[in-house]
């Protein structure tokens, strides 16, 4: 991305073949140029602004995607109203990200006694979202990557 304000940051959980991309105020054009949207059957389709993009009233939203260049599958999380992004909203989106990973890899752990793996994924995803929000406040010069 040439505009540092709208960078898409990429994160990789260490143990899953999956990517998470997070951006503050992403443009529809940048997102549709970089990603395919994944439908319910994990088929790659084009983003449609009318059906799959609402950046005017939504604080943040997650989309299952595939990177057009690398082919990686994962989740794109767009933060559309940074001023309204709370820890709670970051946790809400992190839960959706964790659900996608859990569904993709057949992970269980949705109960109190066996939920530790899921809790770590939620924490990791929420931290990624919050870090991008915090970084965008100081206008970083390079994308942050975690491995």
């Amino acid at each position: 991305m040439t505009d540092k304000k709208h960078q898409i940051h990429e994160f990789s959980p260490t143990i899953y073949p999956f990517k998470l991309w997070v951006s503050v105020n992403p443009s529809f054009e940048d997102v549709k140029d970089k990603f395919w949207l994944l439908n319910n059957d994990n088929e790659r389709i084009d983003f449609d602004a009318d059906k799959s993009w609402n950046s005017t009233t939504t604080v943040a939203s997650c989309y299952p995607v595939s990177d057009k260049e690398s082919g990686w599958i994962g989740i794109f999380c767009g933060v559309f109203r940074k001023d309204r992004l709370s820890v709670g909203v970051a946790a809400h989106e992190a839960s959706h990200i964790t659900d996608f990973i859990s569904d993709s890899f057949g992970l269980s752990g949705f109960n109190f006694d066996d939920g530790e793996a899921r809790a770590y994924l939620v924490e990791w995803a929420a931290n990624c979202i919050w870090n991008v929000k915090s970084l965008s406040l100081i206008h970083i010069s390079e994308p942050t990557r975690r491995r």
Side-chain angles (χ1 to χ4, degrees), residues 34-108:
K34 180 168 178 54
F35 300 113
W36 296 107
L37 184 64
L38 297 178
N39 67 14
N40 290 336
D41 296 321
N42 278 333
E43 297 168 331
R44 292 169 172 93
I45 59 174
D46 288 322
F47 268 89
D48 180 325
D50 294 331
K51 294 181 184 175
S52 60
W53 196 259
N54 180 2
S55 62
T56 59
T57 60
T58 303
V59 175
S61 191
C62 290
Y63 304 89
V65 296
S66 174
D67 186 285
K68 287 184 175 181
E69 186 176 321
S70 70
W72 275 97
I73 289 177
I75 291 281
F76 171 73
C77 180
V79 177
F80 302 107
R81 298 179 73 196
K82 180 179 67 176
D83 60 323
R84 302 287 307 267
L85 183 70
S86 65
V87 172
V89 172
H92 174 102
E93 298 307 324
S95 181
H96 289 308
I97 293 162
T98 301
D99 289 343
F100 181 82
I101 295 171
S102 298
D103 289 348
S104 297
F105 298 103
L107 301 176
S108 59

